Amino acid sequence: MPEKIVEKKNSHYSVLIIGAGINGCGTFRDLCLQGVDCLLIDRVDVCSGASAAPSRLIHGGIKYLETNEFRLVRESAMERNRLLNNAPHYVKALEVVFPVNSWFAGLKDGFLGYLGFRARIKERGALLVEIGLRIYDFYNRKVKALPDHRFFGRGKLREQFPAVTKNAVAAGLYYEGRVTHAERLGLELVLDGLAAQPKSALRTYTEVQGQPQQGAFTLKDIISGETTKVTADVVINASGAWIDKVNDSLGVASSYMGGSRGAHVIVKHEGLLKATQGRMMYFGCKDGRFNLLYPFFGNVLVGSTDLAQKDPDLAHCSAEEVDYLLSVVSEIFPDIKLSRDDVILTYSGVRPLPRASGKDIGDVSRDHSIGRDKLPGTEVPVLSLIGGKWTTFRAFSEQSCHAVLLMLGKTRIVSTVELPIGGGRNYPRDENSRNAMVSKIGTRGNELLDRYGTKALEVQQFAAMTQDRPVSSLPSYSTGEIAYICTHENVRHLADLLLRRTAITMEGLLTAQVIQETAIVAANILGWDKTRLATEIEHATTELARRSVKSVRSDLVQN
Ligand SMILES: Cc1cc2nc3c(=O)[nH]c(=O)nc-3n(C[C@H](O)[C@H](O)[C@H](O)COP(=O)(O)OP(=O)(O)OC[C@H]3O[C@@H](n4cnc5c(N)ncnc54)[C@H](O)[C@@H]3O)c2cc1C
């Protein structure tokens, strides 16, 4: 039977956190480290909202220089570098190529914008990009983790990237981070929090039912139907784009949010993969927007759109967005023409941006802040975590944790600045120590180290105690490995396993057979009977088809 990370159901917690996206998970970990008991709930799963839909960059946000958000760029660059250090198993350096089509474009608008005039930069020339990259290098220095930028002239650019548009006269080359397993990193924060404060708890597929009565919340487990009552000294609303909806359900009137929907596609295309030369292309497009593409598990991730989205529940990646993302690829690589047939997966999410009427959605600040309200008829504070980026979650969590500690009359006892996360602890930093770790893990050492960091040892030891064998439709994964995840990582639906605990879907490895086989392993661990097994398979298949997972789509057609 699975090791329960769900608690014996307490009726009071110091803090109730609603929403287990990256900001809820980060705040949960930080509070637990300070000895504060918290209940973290999500009506879906850990990192299943916007936190599962980013471009997967851990970045300094170079484009925020154009909106004079120097504080945000400085914080983002520092947090990026800290994540490279604290989560080296999932956050890796990524070289970025920023091609430009002119030398001097944008200088005047950039200067006017810096002086505070409303001037929108339509095109960025080499000189402007060089200035931006120098500022970027400066912010990279405080917590140094990446090399400084370089510049390629036309000749060198064409030599290294023969497929790139002939319009490009030069390119800036600089470094960012990328996160390979974003959803797993979020879960690891929760697991670290639970290890630090055993009185805390996580409940997924759980929501608040009705308005709280005299500060008492009725929580409903959406899977089992069970309801429980809890009270809390402080409530944190970390529900991202749903913040105003959740506040409304608590009886708190707020209008903090103004979300923007963003979609990505993952395409399987050898020519495009080769054209990237393992780098990320960050390029301005005809419509004045920036787009990006880079290699992702042997395929190419292309993103993203930016469209106003009133109701986050209705967000999806539309056919028009798919066509737009496929078409922008030809702006950087003119000889590459993609079709819908090349798409193996789409995903979409709503950026939890602060409300900013009258502004273009692309100009709304990506900074974070805390909204402060009280639960009606009580003195219980409700803190809403507005905005923020994946990259800056630690700093935002630190800020939220600080606000709560003040309210509880406590002080910080543990800093998260240099604290490793999950399988990033004792992660090997050079080739020799990596080889030593790989041979300690044993067969599949490299693969498991990439998937679980230093937790790979625990995964392998657990698997060895089961009748471990390769999943026949997916031999790069083993049944013991799947069993470990189902036992230790709060899998409640099959989709949790296929979409968030593993990168199976992201890697483009999903087929109907994989769904069947992994479902059977999960059923054995989680005690699902035949009816539940069939429901889980149907539910996961529908969920995956909704995300246009190509293999599932075509398998379904064949069936
Ligand atoms: C297209 C796109 C690209 C992005 N790219 C990047 C990037 O490359 N780098 C970067 O740093 N950032 C990026 N971001 C931003 C980043 O992903 C988000 O800012 C961040 O994930 C927000 O996290 P969150 O925890 O606030 O919200 P979410 O992750 O949305 O979490 C909110 C949670 O609340 C839950 N919830 C909602 N209603 C309820 C309820 N009633 N009861 C219980 N739970 C509820 C939801 O299920 C959800 O899990 C991107 C975002 C998008 C959409």
Side-chain angles (χ1 to χ4, degrees):
M1 284 303 285
E3 184 185 85
K4 288 271 180 202
I5 63 173
V6 178
E7 88 290 16
K8 65 172 178 38
K9 306 236 154 98
N10 292 342
S11 57
H12 181 81
Y13 292 86
S14 296
V15 183
L16 168 65
I17 304 175
I18 304 173
I22 191 57
N23 289 321
C25 295
T27 305
F28 177 81
R29 173 186 75 149
D30 205 342
L31 284 167
C32 289
L33 287 166
Q34 316 313 324
V36 178
D37 58 308
C38 313
L39 174 61
L40 174 63
I41 66 165
D42 198 292
R43 65 170 181 173
V44 188
D45 188 21
V46 173
C47 285
S48 56
S51 301
S55 304
R56 294 172 189 267
L57 294 179
I58 299 299
H59 64 129
I62 191 164
K63 73 176 173 189
Y64 312 137
L65 290 175
E66 291 183 6
T67 41
N68 290 343
E69 292 184 275
F70 294 97
R71 192 211 70 81
L72 178 61
V73 179
R74 180 173 169 272
E75 180 179 80
S76 305
M78 275 178 17
E79 291 303 319
R80 173 196 65 197
N81 293 3
R82 286 182 178 134
L83 264 176
L84 282 156
N85 288 328
N86 296 336
H89 55 321
Y90 293 148
V91 181
K92 315 275 180 192
L94 174 68
E95 196 170 4
V96 181
V97 183
F98 189 153
V100 289
N101 295 348
S102 87
W103 285 98
F104 302 109
L107 274 176
K108 188 174 139 224
D109 288 337
F111 187 61
L112 287 174
Y114 178 70
L115 293 179
F117 293 98
R118 258 182 93 90
R120 187 173 241 276
I121 301 176
K122 288 172 213 77
E123 200 193 335
R124 291 100 193 141
L127 219 60
L128 190 69
V129 171
E130 172 66 15
I131 295 169
L133 289 176
R134 281 190 185 213
I135 300 174
Y136 223 47
D137 287 346
F138 176 74
Y139 287 138
N140 180 35
R141 297 230 161 105
K142 187 127 194 239
V143 185
K144 186 90 181 163
L146 295 167
D148 283 349
H149 85 280
R150 292 172 290 151
F151 231 88
F152 275 2
R154 191 194 293 262
K156 193 99 187 266
L157 178 65
R158 296 211 57 77
E159 185 191 312
Q160 295 257 329
F161 301 94
V164 89
T165 170
K166 290 194 173 64
N167 294 337
V169 298
L173 276 83
Y174 63 103
Y175 288 84
E176 297 283 16
R178 71 190 164 95
V179 54
T180 54
H181 298 71
E183 300 83 350
R184 285 196 57 80
L185 192 55
L187 180 84
E188 286 193 342
L189 291 168
V190 179
L191 298 179
D192 285 356
L194 288 168
Q197 172 47 290
K199 286 192 196 142
S200 289
L202 164 70
R203 293 191 207 169
T204 50
Y205 297 97
T206 297
E207 63 186 0
V208 179
Q209 200 179 39
Q211 268 198 19
Q213 301 296 321
Q214 278 123 32
F217 294 79
T218 303
L219 302 183
K220 182 172 180 196
D221 184 314
I222 297 162
I223 298 179
S224 69
E226 191 188 345
T227 57
T228 42
K229 284 222 182 312
V230 299
T231 52
D233 300 325
V234 180
V235 177
I236 295 186
N237 180 352
S239 59
W242 290 269
I243 279 179
D244 291 327
K245 276 194 170 191
V246 168
N247 275 342
D248 186 50
S249 75
L250 302 179
V252 174
S254 73
S255 51
Y256 292 128
M257 307 308 296
S260 123
R261 177 174 104 215
H264 291 82
V265 295
I266 297 187
V267 295
K268 192 172 197 61
H269 191 282
E270 282 310 316
L272 179 58
L273 185 65
K274 190 163 171 233
T276 65
Q277 299 288 319
R279 271 65 162 250
M280 177 172 120
M281 294 286 161
Y282 184 54
F283 53 102
C285 293
K286 281 192 289 225
D287 59 3
R289 297 192 62 251
F290 275 109
N291 284 296
L292 57 88
L293 57 88
Y294 65 94
F296 194 73
F297 290 119
N299 301 306
V300 181
L301 177 68
V302 186
S304 61
T305 55
D306 205 346
L307 302 161
Q309 177 76 38
K310 274 205 177 113
D311 185 350
D313 285 318
L314 301 180
H316 68 290
C317 176
S318 67
E320 290 76 29
E321 285 174 279
V322 172
D323 291 341
Y324 169 78
L325 291 170
L326 295 178
S327 73
V328 294
V329 172
S330 325
E331 291 197 34
I332 181 75
F333 296 126
D335 292 338
I336 296 179
K337 307 275 181 247
L338 299 176
S339 76
R340 286 186 189 178
D341 221 33
D342 297 310
V343 176
I344 58 170
L345 166 71
T346 70
Y347 64 83
S348 169
V350 181
R351 299 175 183 89
L353 302 182
R355 180 164 300 206
S357 13
K359 270 197 178 176
D360 240 32
I361 203 79
D363 291 340
V364 179
S365 171
R366 265 54 173 173
D367 213 339
H368 48 80
S369 63
I370 301 177
R372 291 166 191 258
D373 297 281
K374 279 196 181 144
L375 210 56
T378 73
E379 285 304 305
V380 176
V382 178
L383 304 183
S384 299
L385 308 192
I386 305 159
K389 309 261 318 157
W390 231 106
T391 308
T392 50
F393 83 82
R394 193 211 61 83
F396 194 13
S397 302
E398 190 177 69
Q399 185 190 352
S400 320
C401 178
H402 182 71
V404 175
L405 290 178
L406 275 179
M407 287 166 175
L408 297 178
K410 296 192 172 216
T411 47
R412 175 171 288 281
I413 49 175
V414 177
S415 164
T416 54
V417 169
E418 291 181 356
L419 195 69
I421 303 168
R425 226 163 270 125
N426 303 320
Y427 192 77
R429 305 280 172 163
D430 57 49
E431 211 181 316
N432 283 346
S433 34
R434 182 176 171 103
N435 289 342
M437 177 72 74
V438 164
S439 52
K440 200 164 161 196
I441 299 165
T443 38
R444 304 172 61 231
N446 264 315
E447 223 159 56
L448 293 182
L449 190 60
D450 286 346
R451 274 181 207 155
Y452 308 103
T454 49
K455 279 198 179 174
L457 209 56
E458 194 181 310
V459 176
Q460 180 56 32
Q461 280 162 359
F462 178 94
M465 291 188 310
T466 65
Q467 289 173 337
D468 194 25
R469 57 181 170 73
V471 174
S472 47
S473 54
L474 183 68
S476 57
Y477 282 78
S478 85
T479 54
E481 178 184 355
I482 301 293
Y484 173 89
I485 294 171
C486 294
T487 307
H488 296 277
E489 297 189 344
N490 195 51
V491 171
R492 297 200 68 203
H493 273 310
L494 181 59
D496 301 344
L497 174 72
L498 298 173
L499 280 163
R500 293 173 283 272
R501 303 296 181 277
T502 64
I504 294 173
T505 308
M506 282 282 165
E507 287 174 271
L509 297 176
L510 208 74
T511 62
Q513 289 71 29
V514 170
I515 297 180
Q516 292 276 344
E517 264 197 274
T518 51
I520 289 167
V521 180
N524 283 334
I525 303 287
L526 299 169
W528 294 339
D529 61 15
K530 273 199 175 140
T531 315
R532 175 79 189 268
L533 176 64
T535 315
E536 286 297 330
I537 292 174
E538 196 189 323
H539 174 272
T541 309
T542 311
E543 179 61 29
L544 293 157
R546 197 175 67 81
R547 290 162 195 250
S548 317
V549 177
K550 190 179 178 188
S551 48
V552 174
R553 248 171 22 212
S554 50
D555 285 349
L556 283 175
V557 173
Q558 276 163 28
N559 289 340

